Amino acid sequence: PAPTRPEKMIVACPPKEEHTLSTLLLTFFLRRRGFQVVYLGTNVPLAEFKETVETIQPRLILLAAQLLTTAATLEETIRALSPCGVTVGYSGGIFNTSPAIREHISGEFLGASFDEVFANIEALFRKKPDKSQIEVENPYQKLLNEFEIAHIGIHAHLNQTLSKWNFPLKSLAESTVFLSEAIAACLYLGNLDLLQPELDWVNTLLDHRDIKADVRIEHYLRAYANSTRETMGNLAAPLVDWLEAQSLAYAMPETKHT
């Protein structure tokens, strides 16, 4: 239907986010309500996103992410768009299953249901846009920079270690890549504790590949921590200490991970 309201908005997914259903449904229902909606789709590069915002000059930008890694790219997108002075709202499954992530996102959380999302969108239109620049102090920024350079070396060292233990390296590769990407996301967001639910998923990957009997997650995390220490040195101490603590926790049957 033709728009009946003057407000313009952009709906999109940040870089690396490939899930489309929620944003497509949101776009459909917003257009049914008379809004002018520009749908940019999934995995929108930052440079193109900023150029589009400057051209269209929307009143509101709506982003969605379903994973920890794309929650980080969502926050990166919000920071990149900050100079445009446009209010950004966000939603997505990861913010419902791991609410703590919301504390590290600079935009406005829209809610866990469509009813909440629509109500909050209306509220944001009534709110004066905040044109101040986003400034974030991240205690892990230096560690993140070095980790992004060193992670390939960490993988090589880890593979060398696991090969001595006769672990199936090909089957473990998916778990290692997943864990490294999740670590980078947590370092970007500034909170390693956000990694905890992802470790349960790593455990599921190990189980799914029928290798958990040979590779218990506590052994795998300890090996990853040691490879990180050997590759990055003392700079990686916060990450190494955190991984080793999780390894010990998984080794204790009475410990419950939440």
Side-chain angles (χ1 to χ4, degrees), residues 19-197:
H19 296 84
T20 62
L21 182 59
S22 64
T23 49
L24 282 172
L25 286 174
L26 180 60
T27 299
F28 172 77
F29 286 120
L30 287 172
R31 286 175 175 167
R32 288 288 299 270
R33 283 165 168 76
F35 289 107
Q36 300 181 54
V37 183
V38 176
Y39 178 68
L40 299 185
T42 62
N43 191 22
V44 181
L46 292 180
E48 293 181 15
F49 207 144
K50 189 172 182 179
E51 181 179 347
T52 302
V53 170
E54 291 171 346
T55 301
I56 295 175
Q57 296 186 345
R59 177 66 176 79
L60 189 62
I61 298 169
L62 306 179
L63 300 174
Q66 309 301 329
L67 307 170
L68 172 63
T69 50
T70 52
T73 61
L74 183 147
E75 170 62 10
E76 184 180 10
T77 300
I78 294 175
R79 295 179 192 178
L81 296 177
S82 176
C84 299
V86 181
T87 300
V88 180
Y90 70 92
S91 62
I94 188 64
F95 306 110
N96 303 331
T97 57
S98 299
I101 298 177
R102 301 175 200 167
E103 300 175 13
H104 304 277
I105 304 298
S106 304
E108 302 280 352
F109 179 60
L110 296 175
S113 68
F114 274 118
D115 287 340
E116 289 180 283
V117 168
F118 294 135
N120 285 321
I121 287 173
E122 292 286 1
L124 288 178
F125 277 128
R126 295 191 297 269
K127 183 178 179 181
K128 185 178 180 180
D130 182 3
K131 297 184 180 296
S132 61
Q133 299 295 305
I134 296 174
E135 296 183 4
V136 179
E137 292 187 9
N138 185 350
Y140 296 128
Q141 188 59 56
K142 186 175 181 180
L143 174 54
L144 171 61
N145 294 342
E146 294 299 322
F147 181 80
E148 289 179 333
I149 297 171
H151 77 276
I152 295 177
I154 293 172
H155 292 185
H157 188 282
L158 179 62
N159 287 341
Q160 185 178 25
T161 299
L162 297 179
S163 66
K164 296 177 182 178
W165 298 349
N166 295 318
F167 284 171
L169 300 183
K170 186 175 181 180
S171 298
L172 281 168
E174 184 179 2
S175 299
T176 299
V177 171
F178 178 89
L179 179 57
S180 293
E181 290 179 347
I183 288 172
C186 290
L187 292 175
Y188 181 82
L189 294 172
N191 186 350
L192 283 171
D193 288 336
L194 300 176
L195 188 59
Q196 178 56 65

Side-chain angles (χ1 to χ4, degrees), residues 192-245:
L192 283 171
D193 288 336
L194 300 176
L195 188 59
Q196 178 56 65
E198 307 303 302
L199 295 187
D200 292 335
W201 182 242
V202 171
N203 204 23
T204 299
L205 286 175
L206 296 176
D207 189 32
H208 180 67
R209 296 291 182 264
D210 294 325
I211 57 177
K212 197 166 65 172
D214 300 315
V215 187
R216 296 179 61 87
I217 188 168
E218 57 265 32
H219 302 149
Y220 174 75
L221 290 176
R222 192 177 305 120
Y224 192 106
N226 183 63
S227 293
T228 303
R229 181 192 297 110
E230 292 297 320
T231 305
M232 297 183 62
N234 293 334
L235 177 62
L239 174 58
V240 170
D241 292 346
W242 193 92
L243 289 170
E244 289 182 338

